[in-house]
Amino acid sequence: MTITRRSFGIAALGAAAMPALFNAKGAAALAAAPAIPAGTAPAKIDPLMLVDPELREGAELILSRPLPDPLDHKAILAMRQGVPPPAAPLPAPAPAIEMRRIPGTRGQPEVSIAVIGARHDGGNRPAVLHIHGGGFILGRMQDTFVASQQLSEELDCVVVEVEYRLSPETVFPGPLEDCHTALVWLHANAAELGVNPNSIAVMGESAGGGMAAMLAIAARDRGSVPLCYQVLIYPMLDDRTGTTRRVPPFIGTIGWNEAGNAVGWSSLMGVPAGSDRVPSGAVPARTRDLSGLPPTFIGVGAIDLFVDENIAYAQRLIAHAVPTQLLVVPGAYHGFDFIAPRSRASRTFIASWKLALGAAFRDRAAASG
């Protein structure tokens, strides 16, 4: 595998929410969490030995980027400022990018969005609201513009990116409200954008996947936008992972770990991750009723910190009669498809969720036609 400056930048961004993400509350919660029961997993396994050979160079790259310890707010701000510039958008004839600011709702401020691939010709195309990752504390929508341009072209759809406010500066529900504002705007302006208002999906990776899952639940509960699909890429769904629920020591060491999860969730919720009480609607895995949610694709690596919670969420969706596709990739860690996009594992993974999303769009078009 060839590591480029761009992939190194992505690794740096992903690493910015990895092992040293800790604070006093997160440390206390992790220390109090029960240990993995004896005999449930081998005691000593080198995580790198489990990595797909084509993904190993990327794993070593990630592990070579240690984080400041402790990672306080000052360190988080420094990491945001130190992330390399995003890749330049693809030039024409690639789908164009329109930057907009839209009014906030429910007393919230304006929201910045990017509309990719809109055609103001009265068409009737599907659309995706894409939400970037970054552990709820990092990330920016510009980092996925190129990927969204490619998605827009491949599936002949409009993609809307949303710049939601980051934590800990903004706690829940602020970031969710930003995403919901963008979703409602997309639905309300479907005719102008050439979009079928009944063929809108949500998608995100990592924290963005968790936010997409939150958004699907909020849209259902508020009756705001009828979603046709949700694509959750190694989504961050459960604040209890790494706090009150531990993982085997060889899982979640590359790309994201238990300590980082505690800080990310604590920053978003304003209460320690794993608490008995958390803000209603903030944690998808704690939502009791998952019925009525859109058909779902969940994809995750087998040594990703989120593998257990992602499998459990898929099982619960199935139990609530939600059509669900689950893909677990052997030897894959958190963010592997961004770090090593040309690897066989990544190409298969990306093709799988794109096929699933494209099929959902075709099914909706057939039902509407």
Side-chain angles (χ1 to χ4, degrees):
M1 182 190 75
T2 301
I3 298 293
T4 65
R5 180 182 182 278
R6 173 64 183 152
S7 60
F8 193 86
I10 295 172
L13 178 62
M18 283 188 225
L21 280 177
F22 232 2
N23 58 17
K25 292 181 178 178
L30 189 58
I36 298 294
T40 60
K44 293 182 180 180
I45 294 180
D46 180 359
L48 280 175
M49 296 303 295
L50 300 177
V51 174
D52 182 309
E54 290 189 73
L55 303 177
R56 195 164 295 156
E57 186 179 356
E60 292 170 347
L61 168 65
I62 293 172
L63 293 174
S64 72
R65 303 286 291 180
L67 297 175
D69 186 11
L71 184 62
D72 54 16
H73 190 225
K74 181 179 179 180
I76 292 173
L77 292 176
M79 284 189 296
R80 290 178 188 169
Q81 295 171 356
V83 173
L90 299 175
I97 301 174
E98 304 174 32
M99 305 297 294
R100 301 199 184 191
R101 286 190 63 81
I102 59 176
T105 57
R106 300 165 69 96
Q108 302 295 326
E110 286 186 326
V111 178
S112 293
I113 63 170
V115 181
I116 300 173
R119 294 180 194 159
H120 310 286
D121 56 5
N124 197 34
R125 302 157 67 215
V128 177
L129 180 75
H130 179 263
I131 307 172
H132 70 77
F136 304 128
I137 62 173
L138 299 160
R140 57 199 177 189
M141 63 179 178
Q142 290 89 345
D143 287 302
T144 50
F145 278 0
V146 171
S148 291
Q149 284 179 292
Q150 293 169 337
L151 178 63
S152 173
E153 185 170 27
E154 290 176 30
L155 296 188
D156 190 25
C157 65
V158 175
V159 180
V160 173
E161 300 270 2
V162 54
E163 194 75 286
Y164 60 92
R165 287 167 290 171
L166 298 177
S167 302
E169 294 89 346
T170 302
V171 298
F172 185 87
L176 175 62
E177 292 301 333
D178 294 343
C179 296
H180 188 261
T181 292
L183 178 63
V184 170
W185 180 90
L186 169 58
H187 185 258
N189 292 273
E192 175 199 343
L193 302 173
V195 166
N196 179 349
N198 295 313
S199 190
I200 296 175
V202 292
M203 175 184 174
E205 304 85 23
S206 192
M211 195 68 69
M214 289 180 218
L215 182 57
I217 294 168
R220 178 202 63 180
D221 292 347
R222 300 178 190 182
S224 56
V225 176
L227 296 173
C228 74
Y229 206 70
Q230 59 176 340
V231 179
L232 310 180
I233 304 300
Y234 32 81
M236 189 171 175
L237 300 171
D238 197 337
D239 68 297
R240 296 165 293 188
T241 296
T243 52
T244 58
R245 295 178 182 173
R246 303 297 299 278
V247 301
F250 55 87
I251 287 178
T253 62
I254 303 169
W256 189 256
N257 72 355
E258 291 183 322
N261 216 39
V263 169
W265 278 110
S266 299
S267 297
L268 174 71
M269 299 188 301
V271 298
S275 296
D276 291 338
R277 293 185 180 182
V278 298
S280 178
V283 184
R286 296 208 196 197
T287 300
R288 293 185 178 182
D289 181 10
L290 300 182
S291 61
L293 291 175
T296 303
F297 178 96
I298 297 177
V300 65
I303 55 174
D304 190 313
L305 177 71
F306 300 145
V307 62
D308 285 348
E309 68 181 59
N310 288 183
I311 292 171
Y313 198 70
Q315 290 175 322
R316 293 188 57 221
L317 286 169
I318 292 168
H320 283 87
V322 176
T324 302
Q325 181 176 347
L326 171 67
L327 176 59
V328 180
V329 182
Y333 45 82
H334 196 70
F336 71 99
D337 54 327
F338 279 90
I339 301 301
R342 295 184 181 89
S343 68
R344 180 175 57 182
S346 296
R347 287 185 284 112
T348 301
F349 182 74
I350 295 167
S352 295
W353 68 255
K354 285 185 177 179
L355 283 170
L357 179 58
F361 286 158
R362 290 191 296 274
D363 289 348
R364 183 54 59 98
S368 303

